Amino acid sequence: MADRLPKSPHLAVIGAGPAGLAATVAAAAHGVRVTLIDAAEQAGGQFYRQPAAGLRASRPQALHHDWGTWERLRLALEAYVEEGAVRHLTEHHVWFVERRTGERQSGRFTVHALLGPEEEDPATVDADAVLLATGGYEKVLPFPGWTLPGVVTAGGAQAMLKGALVAPGRTAVVAGTGPLLLPVATGLAAAGVEVAALVESAAPRAFLRRTRALAAQPGKFAEGAGYAARLLRHRVRTLARHTVVEAHGGDRLEAVTVAALDGDGRVRTGTGRRIPCDTLAVGHGMLPHTDLAGTLGCRLDGLTVQVDDEQRTDVPGVWAAGEATGIGGSGLALAEGHIAGRSAAARLGGGAPDPREWAEAAKSRARLREFAAALDSVYAPPAHWTEQVLDDTVVCRCEEVTARTIREAVAELGAGDLRTVKLLTRAGMGWCQGRVCAPGVAGLTGCELTPSTRPFARPVPLGVLAREQPQPTDRERTHPVQRRHTHPTDGGL
């Protein structure tokens, strides 16, 4: 059994992406001792993902946007770690945050984590408060051939480039919808990959109806123009209002068929074209990581954690910032993290924060939230994407559940929600616990995509559970039946 980590840090920040880094630096700057906990080997999250030191990358900034901000955060973090104000725990996979009661406890919260790549040895961190900067993950929608080797998520392709300096293939199609497609396409092209096409289902003219939000972010226009210039320089063909209909291949991907969309989001008959490629990087946006917030009992609005103007959740002692409170990009995550760190520092010091200390961050947060809402309305998957999913298309890869089985659960067995569909079909009971297939199942059934009710944020060895014995949360004490049904061996969407 691994030795327990030193106890009683004032603030535990979970996640070392933009929001977590900004919060850590802000809190440490105001005299709070911070433990920054992250699953990766290095700080940065997905946005600032760094190549392994052994690769000796000479120009890692070539694959990054806003490198200057990362450098400032990195240097500040290193300085606070050196002086002992911050403790940075890498390769710590948090699976549960426990709310403690009783005067004899060394902290109000205990963070439970699994150590290292094997995720087998336990570790705990006691803290007076917790700040959740857990980020988001990619939204995956099924289509015929999406399980072929060579089909990857857009973020997965970017992670390979940033973290391993490896290109996923020689000829790629980047497809789906959302602003992430632009850096992925330009990054692949810069790495020497032939990008045969950038296939975007959104219509460029849709941006013209969002002039107020876009005009407030002139830097985003410059950023978009820069990506457009790079696409032209690398001769990447852009197909707007198009979608991938099918991926083709035997042992691996050989080509994709793309087609144009009409004004209602349906594939236009006779517009299909086949594009040879060995890689398809596809993405349809992001979803917030809310597992830890849910187990703590934080109020959720749809799929996002609800926070006040200080980024506080409705659970005393818990803050949240970044994509967990709504997908909005790195700029918004930085602003929210700064505000959350300042607020936590003031509240832990026994006083009330002065909003003037984060006035500029608050203005930036408001503008960026409006901008994110505008992007969200533009970058939406085609309205009728489910019409292209054939009955024999595998939707849940872990349990090999097809679209036919899922549709029958609704049409013939009367399922009316994702949980019932899961119980009838096993869709979502596999290793990923529905993180990959849930959006697809929701789309095919017409059910609402709801937050998970898992008791833990990731699979945990039974031996660790026996040794750690975390106490049930207030939410689980209130809903014992729900707790029983979400046992780790049961799975759940």
Side-chain angles (χ1 to χ4, degrees):
M1 178 175 177
D3 292 335
R4 292 205 170 194
L5 297 165
K7 297 182 178 182
S8 298
H10 283 267
L11 176 66
V13 177
I14 303 174
L21 288 171
T24 297
V25 170
H30 285 71
V32 171
R33 289 178 291 133
V34 181
T35 294
L36 176 61
I37 309 168
D38 194 60
E41 294 181 5
Q42 302 180 70
Q46 171 67 7
F47 190 77
Y48 294 124
R49 181 185 290 269
Q50 302 298 303
L55 295 176
R56 299 179 181 178
S58 59
R59 291 193 315 115
Q61 65 271 24
L63 293 171
H64 286 268
H65 173 69
D66 199 17
W67 184 260
T69 299
W70 156 248
E71 286 283 80
R72 289 191 294 273
L73 290 170
R74 179 182 63 81
L75 292 173
L77 175 64
E78 290 176 353
Y80 285 123
V81 169
E82 185 175 352
E83 70 180 46
V86 173
R87 185 173 48 149
H88 181 199
L89 303 180
T90 61
E91 295 190 301
H92 280 60
H93 307 265
V94 178
W95 55 274
F96 188 68
V97 179
E98 183 178 4
R99 294 177 64 187
R100 309 299 294 265
T101 58
E103 296 180 359
R104 294 184 179 181
Q105 301 296 345
S106 58
R108 296 164 59 192
F109 299 89
T110 297
V111 180
H112 296 265
L114 300 171
L115 297 177
E118 302 300 327
E119 300 185 37
E120 292 182 351
D121 295 324
T124 59
V125 175
D126 291 334
D128 298 311
V130 172
L131 197 156
L132 303 174
T134 48
Y137 59 101
E138 285 190 89
K139 181 178 182 179
V140 178
L141 299 178
F143 54 89
W146 76 290
T147 59
L148 280 171
V151 180
V152 298
T153 65
Q158 188 181 59
M160 292 175 68
L161 282 176
K162 288 182 175 181
L165 305 182
V166 172
R170 296 182 178 180
T171 305
V173 170
V174 179
T177 188
L180 179 61
L181 301 187
L182 291 171
V184 170
T186 55
L188 289 172
V193 177
E194 179 189 350
V195 180
L198 171 60
V199 183
E200 168 60 68
S201 63
R205 64 177 179 273
F207 287 100
L208 300 178
R209 297 192 293 271
R210 309 294 188 276
T211 54
R212 175 183 171 184
L214 299 178
Q217 296 294 323
K220 296 296 183 181
F221 280 111
E223 182 182 343
Y227 285 129
R230 275 175 273 175
L231 291 174
L232 287 173
R233 185 165 66 248
H234 291 289
R235 299 181 180 179
V236 176
R237 175 175 45 171
T238 300
L239 301 175
R241 293 298 294 164
H242 280 67
T243 189
V244 170
V245 175
E246 185 174 0
H248 310 280
D251 294 334
R252 62 165 294 110
L253 180 68
E254 298 172 2
V256 298
T257 294
V258 303
L261 296 167
D262 63 18
D264 295 326
R266 285 190 168 89
V267 169
R268 291 169 55 191
T269 304
T271 62
R273 66 177 80 178
R274 189 182 179 105
I275 303 176
C277 61
D278 59 19
T279 300
L280 171 61
V282 60
H284 292 93
M286 303 283 291
L287 295 171
H289 260 307
T290 60
D291 289 351
L292 292 175
T295 59
L296 278 165
C298 300
R299 183 167 61 91
L300 304 179
D301 183 5
L303 300 175
T304 62
V305 183
Q306 289 302 286
V307 293
D308 63 11
D309 289 342
E310 297 180 32
Q311 299 294 139
R312 294 182 297 174
T313 72
D314 63 335
V315 176
V318 179
W319 282 255
E323 309 288 43
T325 66
I327 303 301
S330 63
L332 179 56
L334 289 167
E336 291 185 350
H338 179 82
I339 294 170
R342 290 270 185 123
S343 171
R347 296 290 179 182
L348 286 171
D354 184 350
R356 290 176 297 181
E357 293 185 346
W358 63 66
E360 287 303 315
K363 291 178 182 178
S364 177
R365 179 178 62 183
R367 291 193 299 265
L368 288 167
R369 281 179 176 174
E370 185 178 5
F371 182 73
L375 287 186
D376 193 50
S377 65
V378 171
Y379 288 121
H384 300 280
W385 65 266
T386 58
E387 295 176 4
Q388 303 305 311
V389 181
L390 305 179
D391 279 347
D392 62 355
T393 301
V394 172
V395 176
C396 174
R397 301 178 69 164
C398 297
E399 296 294 326
E400 298 183 348
V401 182
T402 65
R404 176 185 291 106
T405 301
I406 291 170
R407 285 166 171 153
E408 288 175 350
V410 175
E412 299 180 14
L413 301 179
D417 58 79
L418 291 186
R419 181 167 183 76
T420 303
V421 173
K422 178 206 73 172
L423 293 172
L424 292 173
T425 68
R426 294 194 60 82
M429 284 192 181
W431 184 256
C432 84
Q433 291 287 278
R435 291 173 178 84
V436 174
C437 67
V441 175
L444 288 171
T445 60
C447 297
E448 181 183 2
L449 182 59
T450 55
S452 72
T453 54
R454 308 179 192 93
F456 306 134
R458 62 191 320 113
V460 187
L462 290 176
V464 171
L465 288 177
R467 283 176 282 181
E468 295 297 297
Q469 296 182 343
Q471 298 299 308
T473 64
D474 292 344
R475 176 179 176 181
E476 288 176 308
R477 292 189 185 96
T478 305
H479 304 285
V481 174
Q482 181 187 67
R483 184 182 177 213
R484 184 194 71 213
H485 284 306
T486 54
H487 188 276
T489 58
D490 177 49
L493 286 165

